Amino acid sequence: MKTMSYEEKYKMMTETPVNRLIPRLAVPTIISMLTTSIYNMADTFFVSQISTSASGAVGVNFSLMAMIQAIGFTLGMGSGNYMSRMLGAKEQDRAQKACSVAVYTAFALGLVLAVFGISNIDWLVRILGATQTIAPYAKDYGRYILIAAPYMTVSFVFNNHLRSQGNAALSMIGITTGGILNVILDPVLIFGLDLGISGAAIATIFSQFVSFTILLTLVVRSKNVLKPLPKYFVFRGWVYKEILAAGMPTLGRQGLASVASVLLNVAASGFGDAAVAAMSIVTRIMMFINSALIGFGQGFQPVCGFNFGAGRYERVLEAYFFCRRVAFVFLLTMGVIMFAVSTPIMYLFRKDDAEVIRIGARALKMQCCLLPLQAYVIMGNMLAQSIGYSFRATLTAISKQGLFFIPAILILPRIFGVTGLQLAQPVADVLTFALTWMVITMVVKELRKL
């Protein structure tokens, strides 16, 4: 594969028609996101064959994975968006410093999380929403995930850095290889070697390490990719300010996703292991659908950042409206399909537990009805984040799982029981759409004036 020079890449990002450029950049990221989602689904599927309590344990540890992702994505997307703008403005030295600071900080924070979590594993799984019967499975799974936290956080940073520099195909190689390996190892370790839920966790952390190794090699050996060299690591306030300014929306989204997941588990645990398992499965299914959309949006982000940095504001808007149209059609199609097959899908995961199927199928149908609204929410948030509108991007990012979902999950189940548990996410989705529509309409008006 021919390596583009910086000038060639700059020309590509600022001149290629957006309806050709964004799909070209998005295909690798869509594959990466779907692969990640597939091996999360594989864990849920294979572990669900063990028991309902084991299936619930995967949901409990999803909150832990969300914490790890919050660190990696905040630093990775924050520095990556800043790097895109600096490369667009031809400020390569500042981009290089942001790259190095993000990588080393991610490793340090991942290490702190691992040490703290392993030392307090009993307390941790209880806080994350494990019932008495789910807790033993959750501890077995969680210990292994924590061991992998330092290199998993760095992998997320590398993935975002490669994308932000227009090298989405390289990031796809590392993520896809690890994902395929995870799907293969799950049944072998869980059932073949009879390791149970620990086998699923071992498969995950080994596959993640393979992905990390591949991504590290690609970053080090690729000529047109910024490298996290120690000499560029500077413990300076301005670097962290720039990274966090661009990364706060991601921190809000990912951090609150972790909190929301914990509260969902806690609320569901009041209705038994079947409710915890059902909502865990539904969450993974919806993540799978949204991962394709997020992957598509991540093809939009570097185009947006480059062109905003280069002063091509009309091109930023053209890219946004193109992505929003594509996203709406995709989610409308997926919503109709998933609504129609909601019960068979739940049966596939937990055919021996009718209560899991009943609770999960109804929750899935409710969320599918509102799925097309996510096109406006996700694309609008990515637009604001990519051009450095930190406050408004953060506001829209935290609304779905923070401003609206957390109150909904705390209030509705107490009033309506299991139905309230199922309604919490749809209610939050409607309110998030309304807020995002108002905020992004103002952003678009400002870009048009520019």
Side-chain angles (χ1 to χ4, degrees):
M1 182 184 295
K2 180 180 179 292
T3 300
M4 287 190 294
S5 66
Y6 174 75
E7 289 74 19
E8 289 173 326
K9 184 182 295 183
Y10 185 91
K11 183 177 181 180
M12 177 191 78
M13 297 295 279
T14 56
E15 296 183 14
T16 305
V18 296
N19 61 349
R20 297 209 322 259
L21 177 60
I22 292 173
R24 184 195 309 173
L25 295 176
V27 167
T29 57
I30 290 172
I31 294 173
S32 297
M33 293 297 294
L34 283 177
T35 302
T36 301
S37 185
I38 285 170
Y39 72 70
N40 285 333
M41 290 265 286
D43 270 2
T44 303
F45 174 78
F46 288 117
V47 171
S48 293
Q49 311 310 306
I50 299 173
S51 70
T52 297
S53 296
S55 179
V58 175
V60 168
N61 278 285
F62 174 71
S63 306
L64 181 58
M65 291 286 286
M67 293 178 191
I68 296 171
Q69 289 177 337
I71 296 171
F73 277 124
T74 298
L75 293 168
M77 294 190 76
S79 57
N81 286 333
Y82 178 70
M83 287 159 60
S84 286
R85 296 199 304 275
M86 289 303 98
L87 290 173
K90 299 186 179 181
E91 294 277 357
Q92 191 160 345
D93 184 67
R94 295 175 76 86
Q96 180 70 73
K97 288 176 180 176
C99 170
S100 298
V101 168
V103 169
Y104 294 115
T105 303
F107 181 82
L109 292 177
L111 187 61
V112 170
L113 178 61
V115 172
F116 174 81
I118 293 171
S119 303
N120 299 277
I121 190 67
D122 292 295
W123 171 83
L124 184 61
V125 297
R126 291 289 185 183
I127 290 296
L128 295 179
T131 64
Q132 187 172 353
T133 47
I134 288 175
Y137 294 101
K139 287 190 289 185
D140 287 344
Y141 195 96
R143 285 191 187 95
Y144 289 103
I145 298 302
L146 286 164
I147 290 171
Y151 62 79
M152 285 175 66
T153 54
V154 176
S155 289
F156 291 129
V157 174
F158 281 153
N159 184 33
N160 282 285
H161 282 184
L162 288 168
R163 286 192 305 96
S164 68
Q165 296 170 76
N167 293 285
L170 294 181
S171 70
M172 178 190 70
I173 295 171
I175 299 298
T176 303
T177 303
I180 293 172
L181 183 60
N182 196 110
V183 173
I184 294 171
L185 288 177
D186 262 340
V188 173
L189 297 180
I190 295 171
F191 304 113
L193 297 182
D194 199 26
L195 294 177
I197 195 169
S198 295
I202 293 169
T204 297
I205 68 169
F206 179 75
S207 302
Q208 290 278 1
F209 183 74
V210 171
S211 291
F212 164 73
T213 304
I214 293 172
L215 290 170
L216 176 62
T217 302
L218 290 172
V219 167
V220 170
R221 298 185 65 177
S222 298
K223 293 181 180 179
N224 62 339
V225 173
L226 298 181
K227 297 163 181 43
L229 301 175
K231 68 178 181 179
Y232 286 106
F233 177 80
V234 289
F235 197 73
R236 296 286 186 273
W238 73 265
V239 186
Y240 285 103
K241 180 182 177 182
E242 294 291 354
I243 291 174
L244 290 177
M248 280 304 291
T250 302
L251 178 61
R253 183 170 56 247
Q254 293 292 140
L256 286 172
S258 179
V259 174
S261 179
V262 171
L263 293 177
L264 176 61
N265 290 330
V266 171
S269 66
F271 304 102
D273 288 7
V276 178
M279 298 310 296
S280 171
I281 293 168
V282 170
T283 299
R284 294 302 175 99
I285 293 170
M286 296 307 294
M287 278 184 60
F288 176 75
I289 297 172
N290 281 318
S291 66
L293 177 60
I294 293 171
F296 181 71
Q298 288 175 346
F300 157 68
Q301 284 189 297
V303 176
C304 187
F306 254 83
N307 284 279
F308 188 81
R312 298 288 305 277
Y313 307 119
E314 80 291 342
R315 189 168 161 85
V316 172
L317 287 172
E318 182 186 0
Y320 165 66
F321 287 117
F322 168 72
C323 288
R324 198 177 74 178
R325 288 193 300 271
V326 172
F328 181 83
V329 173
F330 169 73
L331 289 182
L332 179 62
T333 304
M334 290 303 300
V336 171
I337 294 172
M338 295 304 293
F339 186 95
V341 300
S342 56
T343 299
I345 285 181
M346 293 303 301
Y347 180 84
L348 185 66
F349 280 88
R350 200 71 199 110
K351 62 182 180 181
D352 295 328
D353 196 323
E355 189 68 359
V356 171
I357 297 170
R358 184 186 69 82
I359 294 173
R362 192 176 181 212
L364 186 56
K365 286 179 179 178
M366 289 180 179
Q367 294 188 36
C368 284
C369 290
L370 299 170
L371 195 56
L373 300 184
Q374 294 303 305
Y376 296 87
V377 173
I378 293 175
M379 290 304 163
N381 178 254
M382 287 184 169
L383 169 67
Q385 184 175 11
S386 298
I387 63 177
Y389 284 26
S390 179
F391 173 75
R392 281 175 278 191
T394 302
L395 179 63
T396 57
I398 67 173
S399 59
K400 179 179 171 68
Q401 301 288 30
L403 293 179
F404 301 127
F405 180 78
I406 289 177
I409 198 63
L410 290 174
I411 296 170
L412 295 179
R414 296 181 181 181
I415 300 174
F416 302 108
V418 173
T419 300
L421 186 71
Q422 297 162 325
L423 275 172
Q425 190 63 67
V427 168
D429 287 346
V430 171
L431 295 173
T432 301
F433 167 74
L435 175 63
T436 304
W437 181 272
M438 290 187 289
V439 170
I440 299 305
T441 296
M442 291 188 289
V443 172
V444 169
K445 287 181 179 178
E446 290 174 24
L447 286 172
R448 281 177 171 153
K449 289 180 181 178
L450 290 174

